[in-house]
Amino acid sequence: MGEKELRKGLTTGAHAFLLFCSALTDFLERRKLSICKINKMDNDDLDVTKGCEIVVSISDNLEDLELNNITHNPFIYEANTNILAIYGGSGVGIVTKKGLKISPSFPAINPVPRDAIFKAFEELSFQYQNLDLKCTVSVTNGEEISKRTANSKVGVIGGISILGTKGIVKPVSSSAYIDSVKTEIEFAVKNGYETLYFTLGNSALEVAKKYSNEEAIIEIGNFVFDSIEIAVKEGAKEVIFLCGIGKMAKVYQGFKNTHNRFGVIDFELLQKDIEEELGFKVDIQSTLTVKGISQELERYGLLVEFYKMITKKANEQIKYWHKNSNVKAVILEQKDVLGW
């Protein structure tokens, strides 16, 4: 039986662009308030916005439109004698902090979809004169959806962001999650945080909160390689990478993504490395888990040395991936050993 073909989808930005074109065409024909809406295409990516309703409204009277109740500035675009003002509608967030692609007090509509809307306005309105149009991009229940994102942490308040670069969301690419991680890293670096904390899981997150402001803590999911690569490109001065012994063992064995669907730990290799480094042969047949191996080594007084071995090898692997990175891998269970 063949594998199921995975579905692609469109970004929120692509949906907003298409809705704008439809709404503007309708308005220019009728010269009345035009409202176009659609449910975001479902796909096989990890994305909290799947199925949400996106709405674009256009009028020449601002009072016709429902704006986000947070005071903000519109994006203004002039094409010949025509003017377009894009506001954040209900459910689309407003940027309140520096460090993002959009300046504070403007709607969280990223430059690529925003500029595509501007270009469409210029092309569709070229035969008209003295238009003074107002537009809102809205997302039904967007404020509630945003609670499942990092928006509030980076200062996007009152709704979700309208995102997208190429318009297409690839199935199971997890591009939306990685984009979110990139946004958080950019934000932290631009706001002067010299040390970032990458966390895998809730336990790591709670530990990191004891040592840093939440704005500098990035939950990277299982995307270890991608997140470190972004940190290097964005010029992060230092990264503390926190996770449990099991995930760290996968990193030292070269797993760029630590999710189980990308493979499992090679316990024979782990057994060999423990024997070479610690002079002890663990019984991997009786316990094919890293936790079980840890418990066995603890009984022989080798647990601390085991943690040090995994940490050293994980840091070596990270340096092999990204030689210019300044990352310090720390096993959660090892934090006291390192003098935290």
Side-chain angles (χ1 to χ4, degrees):
M1 187 173 181
E3 292 185 4
K4 174 187 174 184
E5 183 176 351
L6 300 175
R7 297 168 296 170
K8 296 181 180 180
L10 298 179
T11 62
T12 49
H15 282 82
F17 165 75
L18 294 171
L19 287 171
F20 175 82
C21 293
S22 179
L24 179 59
T25 300
D26 179 64
F27 177 86
L28 293 175
E29 289 179 357
R30 300 188 304 111
R31 295 303 177 103
K32 292 183 180 179
L33 170 66
S34 177
I35 301 175
C36 291
K37 58 182 69 175
I38 193 173
N39 288 96
K40 185 172 181 287
M41 289 175 60
D42 200 1
N43 60 79
D44 289 311
D45 195 19
L46 304 175
D47 188 353
V48 299
T49 65
K50 286 195 294 187
C52 72
E53 183 180 67
I54 302 172
V55 184
V56 170
S57 304
I58 296 178
S59 177
D60 55 5
N61 184 354
L62 188 60
E63 293 183 359
D64 289 341
L65 306 179
E66 182 181 355
L67 277 58
N68 187 311
N69 57 18
I70 299 173
T71 301
H72 62 279
N73 299 316
F75 295 114
I76 304 292
Y77 185 71
E78 297 184 17
N80 299 317
T81 63
N82 301 318
I83 299 175
L84 173 69
I86 304 175
Y87 292 84
S90 175
V92 167
I94 305 302
V95 177
T96 64
K97 295 180 180 180
K98 295 180 180 179
L100 300 178
K101 293 178 181 178
I102 301 300
S103 300
S105 299
F106 285 90
I109 302 172
N110 270 23
V112 171
R114 178 201 63 194
D115 291 349
I117 289 173
F118 287 161
K119 185 177 180 180
F121 174 70
E122 183 171 358
E123 292 178 352
L124 293 173
S125 66
F126 77 95
Q127 59 183 324
Y128 298 88
Q129 292 186 337
N130 301 315
L131 294 173
D132 186 6
L133 303 186
K134 286 76 177 172
C135 167
T136 55
V137 180
S138 307
V139 175
T140 305
N141 297 321
E143 187 167 10
E144 188 64 28
I145 295 171
S146 72
K147 294 176 182 178
R148 291 178 278 158
T149 73
N151 272 16
S152 62
K153 184 165 73 173
V154 299
V156 177
I157 305 301
I160 69 167
S161 303
I162 302 299
L163 303 174
T165 52
K166 296 181 180 179
I168 301 294
V169 178
K170 295 180 180 178
V172 197
S173 68
S174 304
S175 57
Y177 196 101
I178 294 173
D179 284 347
S180 176
V181 168
K182 184 175 187 294
T183 297
E184 291 186 58
I185 292 172
E186 289 175 341
F187 175 83
V189 171
K190 289 178 181 178
N191 279 274
Y193 288 100
E194 295 193 353
T195 300
L196 308 187
Y197 290 80
F198 286 178
T199 63
L200 293 184
N202 292 329
S203 297
L205 176 61
E206 292 306 313
V207 169
K209 285 180 178 178
K210 298 177 182 178
Y211 301 97
S212 177
N213 188 309
E214 194 171 355
E215 291 181 346
I217 301 172
I218 294 94
E219 299 175 68
I220 65 171
N222 292 289
F223 303 99
V224 180
F225 179 91
D226 295 303
S227 300
I228 294 173
E229 182 176 55
I230 294 168
V232 171
K233 289 180 178 178
E234 295 302 322
K237 292 184 177 180
E238 181 184 39
V239 175
I240 303 296
F241 167 49
L242 276 169
C243 72
I245 181 66
K247 294 286 190 180
M248 196 67 80
K250 296 192 79 169
V251 172
Y252 110 72
Q253 291 194 349
F255 286 83
K256 295 181 177 181
N257 186 306
T258 56
H259 193 282
N260 288 338
R261 68 185 175 89
F262 289 95
V264 296
I265 291 171
D266 182 340
F267 281 94
E268 290 186 358
L269 174 61
L270 181 57
Q271 180 189 51
K272 176 177 175 290
D273 286 340
I274 292 171
E275 188 171 5
E276 289 181 356
E277 297 279 339
L278 308 183
F280 182 87
K281 188 169 184 176
V282 295
D283 182 5
I284 61 171
Q285 300 304 320
S286 63
T287 172
L288 280 176
T289 67
V290 177
K291 183 177 180 181
I293 290 173
S294 298
Q295 291 171 343
E296 182 180 354
L297 290 170
E298 186 174 23
R299 287 195 295 270
Y300 290 90
L302 294 172
L303 184 61
V304 171
E305 294 305 314
F306 177 55
Y307 286 160
K308 287 182 179 179
M309 182 198 88
I310 297 297
T311 301
K312 177 176 75 72
K313 288 183 175 294
N315 278 302
E316 288 172 353
Q317 180 61 53
I318 291 169
K319 273 294 184 184
Y320 175 76
W321 285 336
H322 303 293
K323 65 179 181 179
N324 295 322
S325 67
N326 187 12
V327 177
K328 181 179 182 180
V330 179
I331 297 170
L332 282 177
E333 299 89 341
Q334 190 184 23
K335 58 185 182 297
D336 293 331
V337 177
L338 296 182
W340 278 42

